[in-house]
Amino acid sequence: MVSVTVTQSIAFLIFVAPLCIYVAWNDLRAMKIPTWSTDALAIVFVVVGVFVMPFSEYAWRYSHFFVVLIIAMVLNAIGAMGAGDSKFLASAAPFVHLDDVGFIFILLGAGIFAGLLIHRIAKAIPAVRNLVPDWESWDQGKRFPLGFPMGAVLIIYLAFPLLLLI
């Protein structure tokens, strides 16, 4: 169903999953995605990708970064997303095979909807909210920490070949 191989899945997830979890947590906590985390995500692709992908495909994936960066910068400029969200999307783009873009859009749509629903439900439950009372995302009104669902979507996409093995 996806164009990620099992080898790529394992190699990328070892490094990407902890970064995505950190991004999600920090965006929920502080409504910020630190630049070092998006830089680290890009570096994972640069370093690991060259070992697990055919070189022509690996080189072509850099164009994904630039295309998504331009689109994300426009979305940031019109206020549709934060700068950290834009940097995360651009850094995550090379991990996605061009043939899987439609699937990623479906995952992103479902992930953002589920993330928003989970966040709003958790926010309404005092016992949950009291576990992390200082999270900035609790009091942001309509603003929502997109790093939470975007990190989850990248993990799910990269883990998909492993899920099919089960």
Side-chain angles (χ1 to χ4, degrees):
M1 178 146 193
V2 296
S3 301
V4 179
T5 67
V6 171
T7 302
Q8 291 167 354
S9 178
I10 293 167
F12 285 139
L13 278 172
I14 290 168
F15 303 101
V16 168
L19 285 169
C20 287
I21 291 167
Y22 172 80
V23 163
W25 179 266
N26 204 67
D27 209 17
L28 285 163
R29 181 188 64 78
M31 291 295 292
K32 296 206 182 312
I33 299 175
T35 299
W36 74 261
S37 64
T38 57
D39 291 349
L41 187 60
I43 290 167
V44 168
F45 180 79
V46 169
V47 173
V48 176
V50 75
F51 293 106
V52 296
M53 303 173 79
F55 187 76
S56 61
E57 181 182 344
Y58 168 77
W60 181 250
R61 297 269 188 107
Y62 285 97
S63 67
H64 300 190
F65 172 83
F66 293 107
V67 168
V68 172
L69 181 63
I70 291 166
I71 294 167
M73 287 172 60
V74 169
L75 290 171
N76 175 253
I78 64 171
M81 69 172 52
D85 304 325
S86 299
K87 292 181 288 185
F88 182 87
L89 281 179
S91 295
F95 292 95
V96 179
H97 192 283
L98 191 57
D99 292 343
D100 297 337
V101 169
F103 181 61
I104 279 292
F105 281 135
I106 292 168
L107 276 180
L108 271 173
I112 290 169
F113 177 75
L116 181 62
L117 191 63
I118 290 166
H119 185 263
R120 296 302 191 244
I121 290 170
K123 179 170 126 172
I125 300 170
V128 173
R129 192 171 171 149
N130 290 337
L131 288 172
V132 283
D134 297 330
W135 274 7
E136 282 191 40
S137 67
W138 293 144
D139 301 314
Q140 292 297 311
K142 292 183 180 183
R143 290 185 62 221
F144 174 68
L146 285 172
F148 170 44
M150 290 189 312
V153 164
L154 184 56
I155 290 171
I156 291 166
Y157 171 74
L158 291 174
F160 210 82
L162 301 176
L163 299 173
L164 296 175
L165 293 176
I166 298 174

